Amino acid sequence: MADDSIRGISRRKFIAASGTAGALALAGCTQQNTGGGGGGDDNGSGNGSGGGSLSGEVIITGSSTVFPVSNEFAELFMDEHPDVNVTVDSTGSGGGFENNFCPGDSDINGASRPITDEEVENCESNDVTPVEFQVASDALTVAVNNEADWVDSMTFDELSQIWRDDGAQMWSDVRDDWPDEELELFGPASTSGTYDWFNENVIGEDYQHTAEHEPTEEDNLIVQGIQDSQYAMGYFGYAYYSENEDSVKAVEIREEEGDDPVAPSLDAASEGTYPLARPLFIYASEAAAEREEVAAFLEFYIENSGNDTVAEIGYVPAGDDVIEENMETLEEISG
């Protein structure tokens, strides 16, 4: 989804292109009139800054994982404030920081992992101060072809063997009873926060992510690659799996041998039992947040990050404590 042509696309067009998202229910997550920290309506919209008097532009770049949430909220916000143009461009977390946000060319950057010290320094060298807001949680999903009946679960070590540089080349290199067939790997590009998170938390600090895979910022191309080959494997955010769960098979994950394998789900991510659960973020420029239209959009985003819209997209909504903390931070930077 890094193609410039998707800049500002509506969620309706996004879903038409990538498959209809199923409505996902979380235990205790019911439709509500507030987005956790503020007022809204039954479409998940908050009261923002009120009425249609706002005007201007809000530019969002960054994570393909966070993209569906930002794009949905952009559309809902523009329904309430038609004179504000909110554009959303999926560039990858790192790509967005380096090429758009830190140079001062975007107001908000989505990220599927925390900003790095190097990125903070890059931003500050351009007089951009990034401010972090956690907006959801994800059950990062490892998937294989539906016909890969030899594999149902894997450990972190086995995943590392497959995905690290100079790692396994054949399925049988990992387990003797797996096919003597070459692994075909599809995954995020190195500009992706999902790539960075997987490299740090699964592959391990002693290894580097393999370059012998088909890299893309278009998560649905990863799904397509897995679907087209019996010996393929890939990984991506849970929202993309939830849209394609009939097309590919999710692998249950065990952190270590002897652990019970856990399938990716919003419940498991919310409960903390799924080993590949991770937080999702947006980062706002402190200077941009002083603009009325950006502050109003951030307020809208934060208020609604705890409601059913996020769960329907395929992520765990933010909790009340996270929303409260985010609102306090926003008040501090926006005045």
Side-chain angles (χ1 to χ4, degrees), residues 145-211:
N145 187 274
N146 282 337
E147 296 182 9
D149 55 3
W150 60 89
V151 56
D152 293 311
S153 68
M154 299 185 72
T155 65
F156 274 33
D157 181 65
E158 289 171 332
L159 289 170
S160 178
Q161 290 179 53
I162 290 171
W163 286 95
R164 68 193 184 211
D165 198 18
D166 298 325
Q169 300 296 310
M170 314 287 283
W171 280 94
S172 56
D173 292 339
V174 184
R175 292 191 200 176
D176 291 340
D177 59 345
W178 284 356
D180 192 24
E181 297 285 349
E182 186 173 355
L183 286 152
E184 295 183 49
L185 303 180
F186 298 83
S190 60
T191 53
S192 166
T194 299
Y195 174 104
D196 294 334
W197 191 93
F198 194 85
N199 190 68
E200 178 179 351
N201 292 276
V202 178
I203 296 173
E205 60 182 14
D206 295 331
Y207 304 99
Q208 289 297 316
H209 196 293
T210 181

Side-chain angles (χ1 to χ4, degrees), residues 94-288:
F97 281 129
E98 181 177 358
N99 300 317
N100 307 102
F101 183 79
C102 291
D105 295 330
S106 66
D107 305 307
I108 298 168
N109 199 69
S112 56
R113 45 82 174 162
I115 192 171
T116 66
D117 292 342
E118 182 179 356
E119 287 163 344
V120 171
E121 291 175 4
N122 183 24
C123 285
E124 290 178 345
S125 70
N126 294 307
D127 295 323
V128 173
T129 301
V131 181
E132 178 182 285
F133 302 94
Q134 182 181 338
V135 293
S137 298
D138 177 32
L140 190 151
T141 302
V142 176
V144 295
N145 187 274
N146 282 337
E147 296 182 9
D149 55 3
W150 60 89
V151 56
D152 293 311
S153 68
M154 299 185 72
T155 65
F156 274 33
D157 181 65
E158 289 171 332
L159 289 170
S160 178
Q161 290 179 53
I162 290 171
W163 286 95
R164 68 193 184 211
D165 198 18
D166 298 325
Q169 300 296 310
M170 314 287 283
W171 280 94
S172 56
D173 292 339
V174 184
R175 292 191 200 176
D176 291 340
D177 59 345
W178 284 356
D180 192 24
E181 297 285 349
E182 186 173 355
L183 286 152
E184 295 183 49
L185 303 180
F186 298 83
S190 60
T191 53
S192 166
T194 299
Y195 174 104
D196 294 334
W197 191 93
F198 194 85
N199 190 68
E200 178 179 351
N201 292 276
V202 178
I203 296 173
E205 60 182 14
D206 295 331
Y207 304 99
Q208 289 297 316
H209 196 293
T210 181
E212 299 300 316
H213 76 295
E214 291 291 334
T216 179
E217 281 296 347
E218 170 56 83
D219 295 83
N220 286 288
L221 292 180
I222 300 175
V223 173
Q224 186 64 52
I226 297 169
Q227 190 176 6
D228 289 346
S229 172
Q230 184 179 1
Y231 303 105
M233 175 185 288
Y235 65 91
F236 36 73
Y238 183 82
Y240 294 93
Y241 171 67
S242 70
E243 293 174 356
N244 296 280
E245 57 185 325
D246 292 333
S247 302
V248 296
K249 181 172 100 173
V251 176
E252 297 182 353
I253 303 299
R254 294 174 292 156
E255 192 163 351
E256 297 178 351
E257 287 288 351
D259 293 344
D260 291 331
V262 182
S265 71
L266 299 191
D267 284 336
S270 178
E271 294 163 0
T273 59
Y274 181 62
L276 297 183
R278 58 175 177 160
L280 302 177
F281 306 93
I282 58 172
Y283 288 84
S285 162
E286 185 173 305

Side-chain angles (χ1 to χ4, degrees), residues 20-38:
T20 303
L24 301 175
L26 282 176
C29 180
T30 58
Q31 193 74 12
Q32 49 190 318
N33 290 328
T34 67

Side-chain angles (χ1 to χ4, degrees), residues 63 78 83 88 167 178 189 207 256 305 321:
S63 168
M78 288 188 289
D83 292 331
V88 187
W178 284 356
Y207 304 99
E256 297 178 351
S305 63
D321 55 341

Side-chain angles (χ1 to χ4, degrees), residues 49 54-60 77 84-86 101 106-108 133 282-302 330 333-334:
S49 202
L54 283 177
S55 62
E57 183 176 28
V58 181
I59 300 174
I60 308 170
F77 184 81
V84 179
N85 183 36
V86 184
F101 183 79
S106 66
D107 305 307
I108 298 168
F133 302 94
I282 58 172
Y283 288 84
S285 162
E286 185 173 305
E290 295 176 359
R291 300 194 337 250
E292 187 178 15
E293 71 275 17
V294 176
F297 178 73
L298 287 168
E299 180 183 356
F300 180 93
Y301 202 126
I302 292 166
L330 178 59
I333 66 173
S334 64

